[in-house]
Amino acid sequence: MIFSNLVLMDIDPLDKTVKEFSRILKEKGKLFFSIVHPAFYLSDWERNNAGIITHKKVTSYISHKSVEQKWGEQPVIHYHRPISFYFNLFAKNGLLLSQMYEPNVYEDTKIPDIPLFLFAELVKAHHEV
């Protein structure tokens, strides 16, 4: 079993990491991962005239890009990739989707119907695809 929590979007290139995941997992082994939700993470919260958050403005979702951010005092490079990039890379390496979750937001100040994270369980196939 491999557990990867909120790190895949900070690795570039990602193909070597996923290939290594596949190499070390036994047949039917599981990979659990979480990432910030690619559709919404770099999107800005929009407010109405009363200042109430109403939605997120999604722009340039399909494009791959990198953004420097701060983690405490440390700069971190975030690599934005669409969801299809992740799952196609996993499939190419014999890691097939078993389950995926996009949980509701837990903060009262945000809209619960816009997920900020994506969680998935993948299983190593009998043979590489």
Side-chain angles (χ1 to χ4, degrees):
M1 174 177 50
I2 297 173
F3 182 74
S4 173
N5 187 33
L6 296 173
V7 297
L8 296 180
M9 67 276 176
D10 297 330
I11 298 172
D12 191 53
L14 190 56
D15 56 334
K16 292 177 183 178
T17 301
V18 172
K19 186 174 184 176
E20 185 66 6
F21 285 171
S22 182
R23 186 189 72 77
I24 65 174
L25 277 175
K26 294 180 180 180
E27 184 177 308
K28 297 184 182 179
K30 293 185 178 185
L31 164 63
F32 298 92
F33 81 91
S34 65
I35 56 175
V36 292
H37 201 294
F40 305 109
Y41 180 65
L42 295 177
S43 302
D44 293 326
W45 288 105
E46 298 286 318
R47 297 176 183 271
N48 64 17
N49 291 339
I52 298 169
I53 293 173
T54 57
H55 63 281
K56 275 206 158 210
K57 182 178 181 180
V58 177
T59 59
S60 64
Y61 169 72
I62 296 297
S63 301
H64 291 231
K65 59 188 166 199
S66 61
V67 178
E68 184 173 313
Q69 301 176 310
K70 291 274 187 180
W71 181 258
E73 293 299 313
Q74 297 290 60
V76 175
I77 304 295
H78 170 86
Y79 298 94
H80 168 80
R81 307 163 178 115
I83 294 170
S84 59
F85 171 85
Y86 288 98
F87 289 103
N88 289 333
L89 180 59
F90 292 135
K92 177 182 171 186
N93 286 278
L95 301 169
L96 305 180
L97 179 63
S98 174
Q99 297 181 64
M100 184 176 82
Y101 304 96
E102 298 169 285
N104 290 357
V105 174
Y106 51 85
E107 299 175 33
D108 289 339
T109 59
K110 306 291 189 240
I111 300 171
D113 260 1
I114 298 176
L116 300 182
F117 299 97
L118 185 148
F119 301 94
E121 173 185 294
L122 299 118
V123 178
K124 184 171 180 181
H126 299 295
H127 56 77
E128 290 194 11
V129 178

